[in-house]
Amino acid sequence: PYRRFVGILFSIIFTLIQATQIGIGPRTWFPMAILQSIAGFCFTVMMLTAFAYLPEICEHVGEQKHSVYTSRFTVKQFTVQASFLVLLGALSFAFGISDNSTQTARLSQALNVGIICILFGVGWHYMPSRQATRELPRGKRCCGIFVYGIRQNIRTAISIHCDYKKGLRWYL
């Protein structure tokens, strides 16, 4: 039941870090690098929460339609990334800052924050809340949840290793 909440929370943290990085400069490289590593972690958590919806989508629409959806989404994702770079290059030339990497980085972060505020807002607005697919064993709290999750991941990895020797296990 916390999947959507975790996604929204880490999206907000990620966006705040990106907004903070608009202030990048020669004296702030190191703190910004630390923030960027934290942002990378937040982005990974956001992607994990979004990917957690994929099996349910596949069950709902069917494997063939889901395959088409994910391939088109990946193409759109890379197209948007390339378009962002082209837009950034065009704007940096238009503003006369193409030879100043600090100003270009600030422009990039400002564009990034504006775009992700819109896209994250729309995306999480339409992403439904879901009930938990499994009940936790009674008495599991805080650290116990993490231990239970790690044990479950180990069981899944062992199952993949034993049952899918020809291919899937190499993705672990």
Side-chain angles (χ1 to χ4, degrees):
Y2 300 108
R3 181 179 2 182
R4 185 172 184 266
F5 171 75
V6 169
I8 291 170
L9 176 67
F10 278 89
S11 295
I12 291 169
I13 295 168
F14 180 82
T15 303
L16 291 173
I17 290 171
Q18 298 306 303
T20 302
Q21 289 184 329
I22 294 172
I24 195 166
R27 288 182 279 155
T28 61
W29 290 118
F30 186 68
M32 295 301 177
I34 293 170
L35 282 177
Q36 189 60 29
S37 66
I38 296 168
F41 172 77
C42 291
F43 184 76
T44 301
V45 172
M46 288 183 323
M47 296 307 297
L48 288 173
T49 56
F51 288 156
Y53 285 91
L54 291 179
E56 294 164 8
I57 293 171
C58 185
E59 289 174 6
H60 184 69
V61 301
E63 192 173 325
Q64 181 64 31
K65 196 170 189 179
H66 183 260
S67 176
V68 169
Y69 163 76
T70 53
S71 63
R72 286 183 180 168
F73 176 77
T74 301
V75 169
K76 289 176 184 176
Q77 179 183 1
F78 284 109
T79 301
V80 168
Q81 289 175 348
S83 299
F84 180 85
L85 289 175
V86 170
L87 176 64
L88 178 63
L91 288 176
S92 67
F93 277 110
F95 292 141
I97 59 171
S98 60
D99 58 343
N100 186 331
S101 60
T102 302
Q103 292 299 324
T104 303
R106 288 178 179 165
L107 174 63
S108 173
Q109 286 304 110
L111 282 172
N112 183 26
V113 169
I115 291 169
I116 64 175
C117 280
I118 294 166
L119 295 180
F120 285 172
V122 170
W124 285 112
H125 173 76
Y126 286 109
M127 198 72 78
S129 291
R130 300 290 299 183
Q131 292 299 320
T133 56
R134 294 187 188 117
E135 292 290 325
L136 284 175
R138 292 191 183 271
K140 296 290 182 187
R141 296 276 188 254
C142 195
C143 291
I145 292 172
F146 292 113
V147 172
Y148 179 76
I150 289 170
R151 285 182 182 156
Q152 185 176 356
N153 287 341
I154 291 170
R155 281 193 299 270
T156 301
I158 290 170
S159 173
I160 289 171
H161 178 75
C162 292
D163 298 334
Y164 300 98
K165 291 186 181 290
K166 297 210 182 224
L168 186 60
R169 72 178 176 172
W170 300 110
Y171 287 104
L172 293 177

